[in-house]
Amino acid sequence: MESGGETRRVVVVGGGIVGSLLAKSLQFNAAVTLIDPKEYLEITWANLRNMVKPSFAERSVINHTDYLTNGRIVTSAATNITDTHVWTADGHRIAYDYLVIATGHRDVVPNTKTDRLNQYKAENQKIQSANSILIVGGGPTGVELAGEIATDFPDKKVTLVHKGPRLLEFIGTKASNKTLRWLKSRKVEVKLEQAVDLNSSTLDGSHVYKTSSGESIKADCHFLCAGKPLASAWLNDTILKTHLDGNGRLMVDEHLRVNGRANIFAIGDITDIPELKQGFLAQKHAMVVAKNLKLLMSGGVQESKLSKYEPGSAIALVSLGRKDAIAQFPFATISGCLPGLLKSRDLFVGKTRKNMGLQA
């Protein structure tokens, strides 16, 4: 957008769903640069479906060039920020008028879409060739993976081990109990309040894993479904180091600006907003900041005109296989095929692709 005759430079660091959506939304209003170590956007809530059905990944792994047709893409990791520039690992020095941090959680994935699709095929082969599978972690990732495998491969022996007293501890006990009943009805063995020593099977090559309570679990392969660390450690060496809270999240104001920084915003999981860190809420962050940046770039905007972000309420949708899901709303917890219609069939991939300006 022109302000005083010059196009404003917006740099977005992080090419997950929230950074990508923001870059796409601003590409015809500013000179947009997207910095991301990989060449693609991944709709991460489809990852587990991709493991049991690799063809599904063709739609959920999207090259940045498919939607960012009027912006610059720098395929590298950001390493430093000054008041005027972002530095990247491959030596780029990129000037900005406005900066948005959207690095989310750290995940070690291949750089190219082709390699990512091949990785899903390899994971699928691992599942196909195993008779027994151990899943470690009873959060949404472990629960959804167990549901996907139990649905597509009902003859395989699936064991889920979780160190907490109940599954899905981030939501209510009613949802946890309904999830446990669903998994047991699909013959998934669930062991709570236990940890697993994943090295115990590799020492003798027996595929027998030892738990903290002394039990032995035989499994041909395992999947570790633990939470991923925030991708904010790199900010400790930048001008934003004093803007991180004790958990490594960036502290933002009601307009999603980093506190005390007029031209730097943060969106997605890296923010300290008190809400569940979920994709649909992160996409709302992107739309609020897109609106605010358009206003700021138009010049002479009063603070009172900027959009405010209201933290989202505790809505959670955890899919269980193809048809069922658990949904927790502020007023009720529902399980079965009704919430399954909302999420499980397509996992919102079609809707997200439309939001990115692509064919569903």
Side-chain angles (χ1 to χ4, degrees), residues 7 11 18 77 101 153 221 227 229 262 308 331 346:
T7 302
V11 174
V18 60
I101 310 295
F153 305 101
C221 68
K308 295 178 182 178
F331 54 85
D346 186 54

Side-chain angles (χ1 to χ4, degrees), residues 31-317:
V32 172
T33 300
L34 177 68
I35 301 172
D36 192 44
K38 54 187 176 23
E39 296 175 3
Y40 56 89
L41 147 72
E42 183 153 30
I43 302 173
T44 49
W45 48 90
N47 289 7
L48 306 169
R49 178 72 50 87
N50 297 341
M51 288 165 67
V52 298
K53 189 182 176 188
S55 60
F56 199 75
E58 295 284 352
R59 291 168 59 239
S60 67
V61 180
I62 301 160
N63 280 320
H64 291 313
T65 50
D66 288 355
Y67 65 86
L68 196 61
T69 55
N70 196 45
R72 177 187 177 200
I73 299 160
V74 175
T75 308
S76 185
T79 54
N80 197 11
I81 299 166
T82 67
D83 288 316
T84 55
H85 291 81
V86 179
W87 296 78
T88 64
D90 64 355
H92 281 88
R93 178 172 168 267
I94 303 154
Y96 68 86
D97 297 303
Y98 295 97
L99 173 64
V100 184
I101 310 295
T103 44
H105 284 85
R106 190 161 51 83
D107 202 1
V108 182
V109 292
N111 287 354
T112 69
K113 175 175 176 174
T114 301
D115 286 347
R116 187 62 167 139
L117 295 183
N118 286 337
Q119 193 175 47
Y120 282 124
K121 287 172 187 165
E123 297 280 26
N124 179 257
Q125 200 50 53
K126 184 173 154 184
I127 293 168
Q128 295 247 32
S129 57
N131 292 316
S132 51
I133 297 164
L134 169 63
I135 296 170
V136 181
T141 307
V143 165
E144 290 193 348
L145 179 59
E148 293 283 347
I149 295 173
T151 299
D152 275 35
F153 305 101
D155 295 333
K156 295 190 186 297
K157 168 71 177 154
V158 179
T159 305
L160 189 156
V161 178
H162 181 54
K163 65 183 177 186
R166 61 185 179 89
L167 300 172
L168 305 175
E169 288 166 271
F170 73 104
I171 54 177
T173 52
K174 192 182 281 188
S176 296
N177 294 336
K178 287 183 175 183
T179 302
L180 181 61
R181 282 199 298 273
W182 189 93
L183 288 172
K184 284 184 171 176
S185 75
R186 300 305 190 282
K187 299 188 175 63
V188 175
E189 188 175 354
V190 178
K191 295 178 184 292
L192 298 172
E193 299 187 80
Q194 295 190 50
V196 178
D197 178 5
L198 293 175
N199 296 319
S200 57
S201 84
T202 53
L203 294 173
D204 59 6
S206 65
H207 296 292
V208 175
Y209 299 83
K210 297 277 191 295
T211 75
S212 53
S213 67
E215 285 189 55
S216 296
I217 300 168
K218 188 177 187 323
D220 297 325
C221 68
H222 76 267
F223 293 97
L224 178 60
C225 298
K228 296 180 174 69
L230 281 172
S232 63
W234 67 284
L235 292 169
N236 285 313
D237 298 319
T238 75
I239 59 165
L240 297 183
K241 63 185 173 188
T242 59
H243 299 276
L244 294 166
D245 70 8
N247 297 312
R249 298 186 190 279
L250 280 168
M251 296 179 280
V252 295
D253 65 16
E254 59 194 357
H255 309 299
L256 299 179
R257 276 191 301 208
V258 174
N259 287 339
R261 295 277 172 179
N263 65 333
I264 302 180
F265 291 76
I267 51 178
D269 289 357
I270 203 162
T271 63
D272 70 336
I273 296 165
E275 63 184 4
L276 288 177
K277 302 302 179 186
Q278 295 176 305
F280 81 97
L281 293 176
Q283 289 175 75
K284 288 183 180 178
H285 295 192
M287 300 328 293
V288 166
V289 170
K291 204 180 287 185
N292 286 340
L293 283 173
K294 286 173 187 176
L295 281 170
L296 289 168
M297 289 187 294
S298 67
V301 174
Q302 294 175 330
E303 195 82 1
S304 60
K305 293 277 194 293
L306 293 177
S307 291
K308 295 178 182 178
Y309 178 76
E310 300 288 341
S313 56
I315 296 172
L317 264 174

